Amino acid sequence: MAAIPIPTTGPAGRKTLGIGVLCGLAVALIWSSWSVATRFAVTTSLGPYDVTFLRFGVSALLLWPILVRKGLGIQQIGIVRLLVMVLGAGVPFMLLGSIGMQFAPASHVATLMIGTMPIWVALLSGLLFGERFTRQQLGGMGIVIAGVICIGGYALIANRAAGEWRGDLLFLLAGLCFASFTVVQRRSGISPWHATALVNCCSALLFAPIYFLWLKPHIFTAPPAAVAFQVVAQGIAVAILGMYFYTEAVRRLGAPRAAIFGALAPALAVLIGMVVLKEVPAWLTIVGIALVMCGVACVVTGGRAKPH
């Protein structure tokens, strides 16, 4: 059945645009709040392994009907793409981010992991599939690199004793992991919901035995309120609501305009982190965050280069 076109003009078009903007803002708020919530968890009563288990265990319980209906899709996706998707957005991605949050503040994860994902996606698309970039996109990548240098330079030189540079490096690697999932998912032919169910259910099946048999779970000894909060933040807000709002934003606004809202996450994370975690970034870090946001906006709005 052909998809029903989304109106772009008139009252219906304005309504569609307005809903798309609200969905995009919701995505930015959810992503930034997730970075603050995870940072709070791994620096208080829970550890990286606990939030990783809650992220995939809870979402798997909610998403398994989709996987049962759709199946693994190995014939359509291929085993290599399946592994890249499960590893790229699964346990390795979550562990890199949550372990990094033990060293660096929430503003860094929102900038270096979430903010740079579009850049990693663009680079992987260029290297693997020969996608060409416009001058605006290349300039945006340069601005992002300058921003990362500002943030990483401060962490490595002025704040080396705190070990923030370790977290920054892990955030960049986590962003690369998720970007690999994004690139493969786009070319897999399966829907975002099917991909989300696939990643979360497979990750839960693989990680749950390791978590309970070889690691030290803290979910039974931590305050119940803290565990319940992370259940909502990890397993429902990010994995379910974040995906829904993002796919709706893409459907109503288009991928480039929807991606712009991800660039708002670093600024929102700074504001939320200042209030909740009392983390006030240094001026050089603020400059780096602003540069990354501007660079990402340039990349996602730069269009496509014309082939020679």
Side-chain angles (χ1 to χ4, degrees):
M1 181 181 295
I4 300 175
I6 299 293
T8 56
T9 59
R14 288 192 291 271
K15 181 179 179 181
T16 295
L17 179 63
I19 295 175
V21 169
L22 290 176
C23 289
L25 291 173
V27 171
L29 181 60
I30 289 172
W31 287 352
S32 56
S33 299
W34 168 79
S35 64
V36 174
T38 307
R39 166 74 169 168
F40 177 77
V42 300
T43 54
T44 53
S45 57
L46 295 171
Y49 301 123
D50 302 303
V51 294
T52 298
F53 171 75
L54 293 174
R55 164 70 177 264
F56 297 113
V58 173
S59 59
L61 291 175
L62 299 173
L63 294 171
W64 71 266
I66 298 176
L67 192 62
V68 170
R69 186 170 68 253
K70 298 286 189 178
L72 291 176
I74 295 179
Q75 290 184 341
Q76 179 182 1
I77 305 171
I79 188 65
V80 174
R81 286 181 174 178
L82 177 63
L83 288 174
V84 172
M85 290 172 62
V86 173
L87 295 176
V91 173
F93 159 74
M94 187 63 189
L95 283 178
L96 286 170
S98 55
I99 292 174
M101 290 184 209
Q102 292 183 313
F103 300 102
S107 59
H108 287 213
V109 65
T111 306
L112 299 178
M113 188 173 79
I114 300 173
T116 62
M117 281 182 193
I119 309 302
W120 286 122
V121 169
L123 291 175
L124 288 175
S125 298
L127 290 173
L128 299 177
F129 305 109
E131 184 174 322
R132 302 181 65 84
F133 307 117
T134 63
R135 291 182 179 180
Q136 178 180 327
Q137 288 178 313
L138 292 173
M141 293 179 190
I143 295 173
V144 169
I145 292 173
V148 171
I149 291 174
C150 286
I151 298 171
Y154 177 82
L156 188 60
I157 299 173
N159 207 24
R160 183 181 179 86
E164 288 185 1
W165 65 271
R166 298 184 180 91
D168 293 346
L169 181 59
L170 292 176
F171 297 153
L172 289 172
L173 292 175
L176 177 59
C177 283
F178 199 86
S180 65
F181 158 79
T182 302
V183 171
V184 171
Q185 189 273 325
R186 285 179 180 176
R187 296 175 177 269
S188 67
I190 64 174
S191 68
W193 280 113
H194 186 190
T196 303
L198 190 64
V199 168
N200 284 274
C201 292
C202 290
S203 297
L205 288 174
L206 293 172
F207 187 66
I210 298 174
Y211 177 70
F212 286 110
L213 294 178
W214 288 288
L215 302 176
K216 295 181 179 179
H218 294 132
I219 58 174
F220 302 113
T221 57
V227 176
F229 177 75
Q230 293 301 322
V231 165
V232 175
Q234 304 293 338
I236 298 177
V238 174
I240 308 297
L241 295 179
M243 174 59 74
Y244 171 76
F245 286 126
Y246 182 71
T247 54
E248 276 298 298
V250 171
R251 188 171 73 94
R252 294 174 182 274
L253 302 176
R257 285 197 290 181
I260 294 175
F261 290 95
L264 296 176
L268 289 174
V270 170
L271 296 176
I272 298 173
M274 290 174 64
V275 175
V276 177
L277 303 175
K278 309 302 180 185
E279 294 178 348
V280 180
W283 69 268
L284 190 59
T285 300
I286 294 176
V287 171
I289 292 171
L291 288 173
V292 169
M293 292 171 59
C294 293
V296 170
C298 289
V299 171
V300 299
T301 60
R304 292 185 177 180
K306 297 180 181 179
H308 294 296

